[in-house]
Amino acid sequence: NFMWGLIAQGVRCSDCGLNVHKQCSKHVPNDCQPDLKRIKKVYCCDLTTLVKAHNTQRPMVVDICIREIEARGLKSEGLYRVSGFTEHIEDVKMAFDRDGEKADISANIYPDINIITGALKLYFRDLPIPVITYDTYPKFIEAAKISNADERLEAVHDVLMLLPPAHYETLRYLMIHLKKVTLNEKDNLMNAENLGIVFGPTLMRSPEDSTLTTLHDMRYQKLIVQILIENEDVLF
């Protein structure tokens, strides 16, 4: 109604660029169509925002990295556990931020598959809201504490249903991939438990920024990821 002094009094959506008077901002729907021009990078960008801006089901980083890993890395010993060179992982991150889906992560440029696995793990770690969201985190931890295996599986399934669509789809796709990794355990020596140790803290972060909580929850984080991998065909 009263637009005077909009710069001082208004708010702007960082995703779609809509300008609104402060008084009116509470009436604006919180669901917008992000504008690609405003999304300057791929890493550190909200998962839902990125997916909507690119009009895809999952972040293209996840698709491209997993395709590359499955093409040439499933039998690589210590896959996801062995670290690649940090500076090369940073190079991959910059390539995605700069070139998006045109980023070249082929064996010609990055022969070490651990650089690609490192870049994928870094993408998940850099998310402002983790794949397993802060809202659902306590519910997953509670589910992990259930001693009866069938009840625990059911509880995990119920919490999965609470994830936002982009988070659910990304997690589903990743778990199908990690199941394939475990099927090559004979060569890569990575079973569901090992992958749970690697991906627990990568996919889940406690809303409380407390070292004590993090340490206490680590075994439950590992268990949740292990359950998701072992039962991906039932849970998703």
Side-chain angles (χ1 to χ4, degrees):
N1 50 11
F2 180 55
M3 294 296 280
W4 177 81
L6 180 64
I7 304 305
Q9 300 178 48
V11 290
R12 170 182 283 148
C13 174
S14 58
D15 288 346
C16 69
L18 177 71
N19 287 310
V20 195
H21 191 277
K22 210 155 35 178
Q23 293 297 102
C24 310
S25 63
K26 55 181 173 289
H27 301 300
V28 175
N30 59 8
D31 197 18
C32 66
Q33 181 56 43
D35 182 351
L36 259 180
K37 290 198 294 289
R38 298 188 165 275
I39 295 167
K40 302 289 182 230
K41 53 189 179 178
V42 171
Y43 278 67
C44 305
C45 176
D46 177 71
L47 201 157
T48 301
T49 299
L50 190 69
V51 162
K52 279 190 166 188
H54 287 273
N55 196 23
T56 54
Q57 283 186 294
R58 299 173 297 274
M60 43 80 176
V61 179
V62 177
D63 275 13
I64 294 168
C65 286
I66 285 179
R67 243 193 336 263
E68 194 67 29
I69 294 159
E70 290 187 355
R72 60 185 172 103
L74 286 178
K75 294 185 187 303
S76 176
E77 189 176 322
L79 190 69
Y80 287 111
R81 193 182 62 225
V82 176
S83 299
F85 282 121
T86 307
E87 62 199 70
H88 292 164
I89 292 169
E90 283 295 324
D91 284 348
V92 174
K93 173 183 174 175
M94 279 159 52
F96 276 119
D97 281 342
R98 186 184 61 243
D99 305 327
E101 57 202 29
K102 293 187 176 71
D104 185 357
I105 60 166
S106 64
N108 301 334
I109 300 179
Y110 302 107
D112 180 7
I113 198 64
N114 299 312
I115 292 163
I116 311 304
T117 59
L120 181 61
K121 288 187 293 183
L122 181 64
Y123 172 75
F124 290 132
R125 278 200 304 275
D126 276 357
L127 285 172
I129 299 170
V131 177
I132 287 177
T133 59
Y134 293 125
D135 289 347
T136 58
Y137 180 90
K139 297 182 178 74
F140 273 111
I141 296 295
E142 285 311 306
K145 291 176 180 175
I146 297 169
S147 52
N148 180 289
D150 290 341
E151 287 174 21
R152 187 171 58 210
L153 198 61
E154 199 171 325
V156 169
H157 180 263
D158 290 346
V159 189
L160 275 175
M161 295 297 109
L162 302 175
L163 287 172
H167 287 251
Y168 176 89
E169 174 55 29
T170 302
L171 190 62
R172 183 190 73 81
Y173 192 71
L174 177 64
M175 291 307 136
I176 291 170
H177 163 63
L178 293 181
K179 186 68 169 276
K180 287 179 193 168
V181 173
T182 65
L183 296 177
N184 290 273
E185 186 194 343
K186 194 162 85 284
D187 298 301
N188 61 38
L189 309 179
M190 294 300 284
N191 58 23
E193 187 177 1
N194 293 337
L195 290 166
I197 294 167
V198 173
F199 276 95
T202 305
L203 299 175
M204 304 175 75
R205 295 197 296 275
S206 169
E208 301 167 41
D209 192 16
S210 147
T211 313
L212 203 63
T213 309
T214 306
L215 286 170
H216 178 262
D217 288 353
M218 273 176 81
R219 64 189 173 125
Y220 298 118
Q221 292 174 347
K222 181 206 80 169
L223 184 57
I224 286 295
V225 175
Q226 188 179 339
I227 289 167
L228 292 174
I229 296 170
E230 288 172 346
N231 302 280
E232 60 80 19
D233 51 339
V234 179
L235 288 170
F236 294 97

